[in-house]
Amino acid sequence: MAPKRKMTDEERAVMVAQMDRDLEDFISEKIESYKATPRDPFDFSKMEKEIENHPAFMQEWDPTKPMTPELEALISLKYEECDTLVEKATNYKEDGNRNFKNSKYRWAIDNYTVAIECKCSDLQLNAICYTNRAAAQFRLGNYRSSFRDVVFARKFVPDHMKAIIRGVHCAKKIRKYDIALRWIDDGLLIDSTNEELLKLRHESEKLKKENEKNVRKEKAKERKAELQRKALLDSIKLRNIKLKGVEGDDHDDEEMVGEEWESLFGRTSNKEAASARVFLDDFGTLHWPILLLYPEYGQTDFITQANETTRLVDLLYQVFGPETPEADWDLEKLYKLENLEIYFENKLEETLYQVDINASIQAVISHPKYIVYGGLPSLIILVKGSEFAKDFLKKYSISTN
């Protein structure tokens, strides 16, 4: 923004005189307007409020709203009368202090920023402005911005105690306890008996130890999780089970984390199944979530976990056994255990493979053509011989191998 032209003494005198006349006219006009309406009782508080909104009497203003010409003129007078950048920066700093006391921290930040941008030659004033802006940033929870400001404050005045103490508080908030302790040491070199710094030292040392302990725990937890992931993948490979995303042995199982791991075991469009994962128990047995698909009705059933040694007939017994209520969607009541046939789909070949109902889960998903997508094995359930099954099977190549 280009700087405004500084007013001459004559121009300033003319503007002040005009504003005085405008103020007198404003007050007279308000008095006359009340006199002209005698039916209404004189409301002094209302008139007082309107006068307070006049730029000459305003105690504060909202910088987010456009300024009236009168208000802009008064503010211009305030700052243009400054003979030096130091005076101008001081005025903005004082405005910031007032806004800070009124808990208007964003306005205060704007004031301190303009004061800083004056680039005056007073090192102490610059340090104060940066430190005050840091305090406002801190109140807003902007701890990194606050710390950056106190770093600049100490470039102007290295032993500025308020900047040092503020920096310690910021470092604690962002859990940089080593930095906090270094700044505390800097402060104690200046004032070895400073009670606040001594208290902060005790707190920071305690927090540093707790943080180091938590970091060690987290690393141990991560290491354990990595070993568990590796053991799980090794077990899956040992059974010749193919996972969508794993091709050969090119990747390092132990380092598989984040996106790669999620692509194998955490992504499914089934909301119910999203949180269920295959796991390896203490006896080396895999437990899989299973998704049963009923394309005739567009329905599904989700088995949270099934031991890999479980036979499909026993799995389906949980869903279609005599003790299980019939599904509401089974309109013709044909989905009985003895009526069902099971397939899995090889999407790459567009082929359905029929599965022996007495086979185990492991035998099925270890089939050379079976691919597990998103860590969730799925099976297609049809009523054998039904018209829907006949039409559905015509869309695929069928294999019983």
Side-chain angles (χ1 to χ4, degrees):
M1 185 182 206
K4 295 184 179 179
R5 181 179 65 83
K6 189 171 182 179
M7 300 175 69
T8 64
D9 292 340
E10 291 80 4
E11 290 173 331
R12 186 178 289 107
V14 170
M15 185 173 65
V16 170
Q18 181 61 47
M19 292 183 70
D20 287 341
R21 289 193 295 273
D22 289 344
L23 178 58
E24 291 176 2
D25 293 342
F26 173 80
I27 295 174
S28 298
E29 181 182 338
K30 288 298 177 184
I31 292 174
E32 290 301 323
S33 66
Y34 284 112
K35 289 180 178 179
T37 54
R39 295 178 184 175
D40 297 327
F42 179 76
D43 190 343
F44 181 79
S45 61
K46 181 178 178 181
M47 179 181 177
E48 184 180 37
K49 185 176 180 180
E50 291 184 9
I51 292 176
E52 285 176 355
N53 288 330
H54 190 279
F57 298 100
M58 289 176 69
Q59 297 296 313
E60 59 183 37
W61 61 281
D62 186 349
T64 63
K65 297 179 180 179
M67 288 190 292
T68 63
E70 294 82 5
L71 180 57
E72 188 173 4
L74 280 177
I75 291 177
S76 177
L77 278 174
K78 175 179 179 180
Y79 293 108
E80 283 189 6
E81 286 181 348
C82 299
D83 294 328
T84 67
L85 291 174
V86 171
E87 292 180 2
K88 188 173 182 180
T90 300
N91 280 341
Y92 278 112
K93 183 206 72 172
E94 291 174 352
D95 285 345
N97 292 347
R98 278 191 292 273
N99 282 322
F100 186 92
K101 288 178 181 178
N102 291 323
S103 301
K104 296 179 179 179
Y105 303 119
R106 297 188 188 281
W107 295 7
I109 288 170
D110 290 340
N111 295 139
Y112 296 135
T113 299
V114 178
I116 290 167
E117 290 172 349
C118 289
K119 297 180 180 179
C120 71
S121 58
D122 189 325
L123 299 182
Q124 185 70 25
L125 178 58
N126 282 314
I128 291 171
C129 289
Y130 272 109
T131 303
N132 289 1
R133 189 171 73 174
Q137 294 280 20
F138 191 91
R139 292 296 182 91
L140 294 174
N142 302 329
Y143 304 122
R144 294 182 184 277
S145 296
S146 181
F147 186 76
R148 185 168 55 248
D149 274 349
V150 291
V151 168
F152 276 104
R154 292 189 66 194
K155 288 183 182 296
F156 289 101
V157 181
D159 60 352
H160 196 287
M161 186 58 75
K162 285 188 176 181
I164 292 172
I165 291 175
R166 178 64 61 192
V168 174
H169 284 292
C170 291
K172 282 180 59 185
K173 285 291 187 180
I174 59 179
R175 299 182 182 180
K176 300 294 184 181
Y177 303 114
D178 287 334
I179 295 176
L181 289 169
R182 285 203 302 271
W183 279 53
I184 289 170
D185 288 341
D186 290 345
L188 291 175
L189 286 175
I190 302 165
D191 180 3
S192 61
T193 62
N194 188 291
E195 292 184 2
E196 185 171 2
L197 286 176
L198 292 171
K199 181 181 177 182
L200 286 169
R201 173 187 279 284
H202 175 73
E203 293 174 353
S204 298
E205 288 176 342
K206 182 179 178 180
L207 289 170
K208 181 184 177 184
K209 289 179 181 178
E210 290 177 357
N211 187 62
E212 290 172 345
K213 183 179 179 180
N214 291 334
V215 168
R216 288 194 297 271
K217 283 184 177 180
E218 191 62 32
K219 286 183 177 179
K221 183 179 178 182
E222 290 174 1
R223 180 61 182 169
K224 182 179 179 181
E226 287 175 4
L227 292 174
Q228 289 174 338
R229 285 194 290 264
K230 187 177 187 305
L232 176 59
L233 282 173
D234 287 345
S235 296
I236 291 172
K237 282 187 172 185
L238 186 64
R239 292 160 172 77
N240 295 316
I241 298 172
K242 298 179 182 64
L243 299 175
K244 172 65 175 176
V246 176
E247 298 179 1
D249 297 320
D250 297 335
H251 66 283
D252 186 345
D253 296 339
E254 190 170 344
E255 297 298 325
M256 184 184 296
V257 293
E259 286 294 315
E260 189 174 0
W261 181 262
E262 287 296 318
S263 71
L264 297 179
F265 299 107
R267 290 181 179 169
T268 172
S269 58
N270 186 287
K271 294 181 179 179
E272 187 180 9
S275 61
R277 305 267 179 115
V278 59
F279 69 91
L280 184 68
D281 67 21
D282 294 337
F283 301 99
T285 302
L286 291 173
H287 297 256
W288 291 92
I290 305 290
L291 187 64
L292 304 177
L293 306 171
Y294 312 108
E296 182 175 4
Y297 292 101
Q299 298 293 324
T300 62
D301 273 318
F302 176 65
I303 310 299
T304 305
Q305 55 175 275
N307 188 303
E308 63 181 345
T309 62
T310 303
R311 297 184 306 161
L312 295 184
V313 65
D314 297 325
L315 188 71
L316 291 177
Y317 186 86
Q318 300 177 32
V319 183
F320 298 107
E323 298 178 1
T324 305
E326 295 177 340
D328 294 338
W329 48 262
D330 183 12
L331 302 179
E332 298 181 13
K333 310 302 179 186
L334 295 177
Y335 279 77
K336 308 292 184 182
L337 193 57
E338 62 273 14
N339 296 338
L340 303 180
E341 54 188 13
I342 308 172
Y343 296 83
F344 71 80
E345 178 186 5
N346 183 297
K347 296 179 181 179
L348 301 178
E349 299 177 356
E350 296 185 352
T351 299
L352 293 183
Y353 289 81
Q354 189 167 6
V355 177
D356 181 357
I357 197 169
N358 291 303
S360 69
I361 292 172
Q362 178 184 335
V364 174
I365 63 179
S366 296
H367 189 285
K369 296 296 184 179
Y370 197 102
I371 300 175
V372 178
Y373 289 87
L376 181 63
S378 61
L379 296 168
I380 296 173
I381 313 298
L382 298 173
V383 174
K384 54 188 172 186
S386 68
E387 289 302 316
F388 176 85
K390 292 176 184 178
D391 293 338
F392 184 79
L393 294 175
K394 287 178 182 179
K395 301 175 184 177
Y396 297 88
S397 296
I398 308 298
S399 175
T400 56
N401 295 329

